[in-house]
Amino acid sequence: MRARHPSLRRRLLAFLALPMLVLLLLNAVITYRIALAYSNHLHDRNLLDDTQSFARMLQTMPLSGELSPQARFLLEYDPDGHGYFNVDSLHHGILVSNADFSAVAKSRDCVDSTPLLYSAHLNQQKVRLATLCIQSATDPGDRLAVTVGETFDDRRQRAQEILMITIPMMALLMLCVGALVWFGVNHGLRILRPLTRQLAERKRDLAPISNPDVPREILPLIETIDGLFGRLAEMIALQERFVADAAHQLRTPLAGISLHVDRALSATDGKTRTEALEHVRRLNQRTARVSGQLLALTRAQASPAVVETLDLTALVPEWVAMRVPEAIRAGVDLGYQRPDETLRVPGYAPVLQEALDNLIDNALHYAGRGATVTVGIAASGNQVELYVEDDGPGVPEAAMARLGERFYRVAGTQENGTGLGLAIAHEAVEHFRGTIHYQTSVPHGLKVSILLPRLTP
């Protein structure tokens, strides 16, 4: 079964749905708090009106320890809870009451006609109380503290009713916002369709696809794709260059091989046949060398997969020792100059070894028999110098600037070569921010130096 790919649309909607749900719950809590505050405000105002009405009623009727049934019904009526009242005389104490207000009533705090509003616990429930001071109707020197209270049940009920009215509206609003988000996400993702169509219509075009119309949010993805296209174009160009170089360099030896094979086949004597086969052998060796050099150049032009810290003082002696037998056969004295300290550089060992091998190859082939070739390492400021120096005939000053060009060979050179050795070294070293320099040795010869950044431990 095909793997199910994650959906960007679903992920965006899920990311937005959870905050919207949290906002809905937060909005419900805030709405309830506001509704409860508004309900408390209205009920407090009504409670003050009831207290003032009760006080006016007491000023028109004498108190005998009991209220009229009409007054008691008016004060105690509470459809969702219970109403409380208390009348406290300064001279005679509590005159009428339907609960024990001794612990909660603020009769002593009442000094003028300004009513007091406060909350307290009465009969094991929280109540809201209002206290108002008036002059006694029967005793001008006495003062009455009139307290009226009610429970919070009706207040909460009113707040809940307001909340239940607003919740459907908030839910409807959230649904509308969700629909707009769905539409917005779908519409926003349509911007990817032209890019997808543009990529689908391409065949071998590896030009960048970024343009001013690309949204800022997907620009990093487009830049990554452009970078991939750039690297792919480089690899294709590298492949095409290899094919062109191979066709250019192998055409002549292959034609020569074909010619001498025909000559050997048509020869009637053994000497002619032997000469033709000897030519075929030399051309075959040249073809193999050219093919190897072309492959090495292609590998050097491709970026190495790994960049490591290389200890040249440990690696270079091993690389030089591997070339000693070849130097003995060529009649060249190959030596190594060791530095006084450990020197480390960034690089990739196989690539850097191939660069050094090509420099040693050139020295062994062109310095001549009896020459001395020295491979050495030295510190040079913030760089490390890896050099190959010989005391051969050297290179003319006019040709020094062209060293390192592909297929370039110094005029008058008798040795067979491909002109790729120094080019391979250049390509390999450039990957590690290195450079190659050439200078004439004293009294004669050539010194080729690879300069690489120095790494400290």
Side-chain angles (χ1 to χ4, degrees), residues 339-359:
D340 298 331
E341 56 183 326
T342 300
L343 298 175
R344 296 180 175 86
V345 298
Y348 185 51
V351 175
L352 194 58
Q353 181 182 4
E354 192 163 30
L356 180 61
D357 280 343
N358 278 279
L359 299 186

Side-chain angles (χ1 to χ4, degrees), residues 150-194:
E150 64 181 10
T151 63
F152 281 84
D153 295 339
D154 189 56
R155 299 167 181 248
R156 298 191 187 97
Q157 183 66 29
R158 301 290 84 78
Q160 292 173 5
E161 291 175 356
I162 295 175
L163 178 63
M164 296 309 295
I165 293 174
T166 57
I167 281 181
M169 294 188 295
M170 289 189 293
L172 180 60
L173 178 61
M174 287 298 176
L175 290 176
C176 293
V177 172
L180 290 176
V181 169
W182 175 276
F183 175 78
V185 169
N186 288 336
H187 182 74
L189 291 177
R190 290 180 183 175
I191 194 67
L192 298 176
R193 295 180 182 176

